[in-house]
């Protein structure tokens, strides 16, 4: 048959790396571990819409085993995720506004996870609560509050039409108009997001991360550190699921 002439199509083909995965030899991000490594954690705000008035890290710095506590003002390079998301800071600085509950306001590095969590709990952040905007349809109204100053709440507007709609309506026996909404969706991968980084013998920052875009990640890290991209190398180990979320 024609199918038998192919070496791959129509044949059972083992997935690349299958032997390492099923025998437990595949290394994922959390498998890159050393006894003297520090644990990094982020402090996320619990407020969906607020202005940061003050961040007091003094008590966190006094905890034994806490090596560093950083805020947005400590970012040596660009305090934003990337060129495509300059409106989303890595950490919200004093005077800035948080716009969702996942915004970070501080970062800590400590000797272990318990100490890192204690440091996060000791950071005192003062907020001014602001009126939020939580409905998509209300957000696109002409006089709606702007989430970002001097910017429309509508990121993009796409219109699609196939054929002669008016003629179709004129010929239709029944016209049904409705608005459809779906539930929230999550990528739902099993492996938590994370990274391990260290400097190699040449002073290059090595970043091991289960990600889908190592070149973009290298650009992001270099921008935030204020160094050339040649000073950062991103290595992708085995990835425990992603589906677009990493």
């Amino acid at each position: 048959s024609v199918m038998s002439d192919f070496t791959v199509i129509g044949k059972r083909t083992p997935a690349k790396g299958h032997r390492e995965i099923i025998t437990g030899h595949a290394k994922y991000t959390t498998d890159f571990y050393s006894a003297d490594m520090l644990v990094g954690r982020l402090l996320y705000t619990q407020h969906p819409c607020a202005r940061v008035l003050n961040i007091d890290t003094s008590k966190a710095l006094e905890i034994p085993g806490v090596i560093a506590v950083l805020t947005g003002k400590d970012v040596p390079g660009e305090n934003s995720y990337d060129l495509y998301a300059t409106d989303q800071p890595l950490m919200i600085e004093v005077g800035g506004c948080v716009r969702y509950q996942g915004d970070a306001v501080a970062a800590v590095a400590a000797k272990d996870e318990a100490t890192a969590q204690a440091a996060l709990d000791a950071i005192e952040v003062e907020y001014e609560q602001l009126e939020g905007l939580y409905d998509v349809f209300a957000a696109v109204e002409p006089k709606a509050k702007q989430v970002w100053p001097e910017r429309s709440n509508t990121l993009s507007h796409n219109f699609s039409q196939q054929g002669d709609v008016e003629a179709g309506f004129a010929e239709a026996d029944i016209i049904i108009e409705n608005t459809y909404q779906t539930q929230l969706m999550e990528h739902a991968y099993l492996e938590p997001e994370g990274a391990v980084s260290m400097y190699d013998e040449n002073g290059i920052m090595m970043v091991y991360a289960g990600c889908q875009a190592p070149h973009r990640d290298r650009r992001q890290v270099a921008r935030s550190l204020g160094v050339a991209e040649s000073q950062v190398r991103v290595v992708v180990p085995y990835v425990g699921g992603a589906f677009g979320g990493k």
Side-chain angles (χ1 to χ4, degrees):
S1 66
V2 176
M3 292 298 290
S4 64
D5 296 334
F6 293 105
T7 58
V8 176
I9 298 176
K11 304 293 193 301
R12 293 174 64 88
T13 304
K16 286 185 176 293
H18 73 285
R19 188 177 301 276
E20 291 80 1
I21 293 174
I22 63 176
T23 59
H25 287 87
K27 275 197 168 187
Y28 295 85
T29 301
T30 52
D31 293 317
F32 290 84
Y33 179 86
S34 62
D36 61 346
M37 68 189 298
L38 299 178
V39 175
R41 289 289 182 270
L42 291 168
L43 178 62
Y44 297 105
T45 178
Q46 298 301 307
H47 303 290
C49 189
R51 180 175 287 105
V52 178
L53 300 181
N54 188 54
I55 304 175
D56 187 348
T57 61
S58 58
K59 293 180 181 178
L61 286 167
E62 294 173 356
I63 298 175
V66 174
I67 307 303
V69 181
L70 308 174
T71 62
K73 64 180 178 59
D74 299 308
V75 177
E78 294 289 332
N79 185 18
S80 63
Y81 275 97
D82 208 340
L83 297 173
Y84 68 89
T86 55
D87 56 10
Q88 188 173 356
L90 299 172
M91 292 182 286
I92 308 298
E93 298 184 48
V94 172
C97 293
V98 299
R99 292 182 170 86
Y100 75 113
Q101 289 179 323
D103 267 331
V105 293
V108 303
K111 65 178 183 179
D112 54 41
E113 292 194 29
T115 306
Q117 184 58 54
L120 293 182
D121 295 339
I123 298 174
E124 299 176 354
V125 185
E126 183 183 353
Y127 296 97
E128 175 193 356
Q129 298 295 327
L130 301 175
E131 181 182 354
L133 188 59
Y134 309 111
D135 182 88
V136 173
F137 298 103
V140 297
E141 291 293 328
K143 295 184 179 180
K145 173 189 174 183
Q146 290 176 290
V147 178
W148 280 273
E150 302 176 1
R151 180 181 299 187
S152 171
N153 290 337
T154 302
L155 177 64
S156 63
H157 179 256
N158 300 307
F159 178 79
S160 178
Q161 178 174 311
Q162 298 293 327
D164 191 334
V165 176
E166 293 303 324
F169 282 172
E171 298 173 3
D173 295 323
I174 300 174
I175 297 175
I176 300 175
E177 296 182 355
N178 205 347
T179 299
Y180 297 92
Q181 293 176 279
T182 66
Q183 71 277 18
L184 294 174
M185 300 182 71
E186 174 55 49
H187 300 277
Y189 39 75
L190 292 178
E191 180 193 29
E193 292 185 81
V196 178
S197 65
M198 73 286 291
Y199 286 103
D200 69 5
E201 64 277 6
N202 297 313
I204 303 297
M205 172 166 280
M206 301 290 297
V207 179
Y208 296 88
C211 66
Q212 294 176 269
H215 295 284
R216 184 188 64 191
D217 289 357
R218 180 179 67 168
R219 184 172 68 241
Q220 290 176 324
V221 172
R223 284 181 75 250
S224 63
L225 294 179
V227 301
E229 289 185 27
S230 60
Q231 297 302 110
V232 178
R233 183 185 176 201
V234 175
V235 177
V236 181
Y238 280 81
V239 179
F243 322 119
K246 290 182 180 175

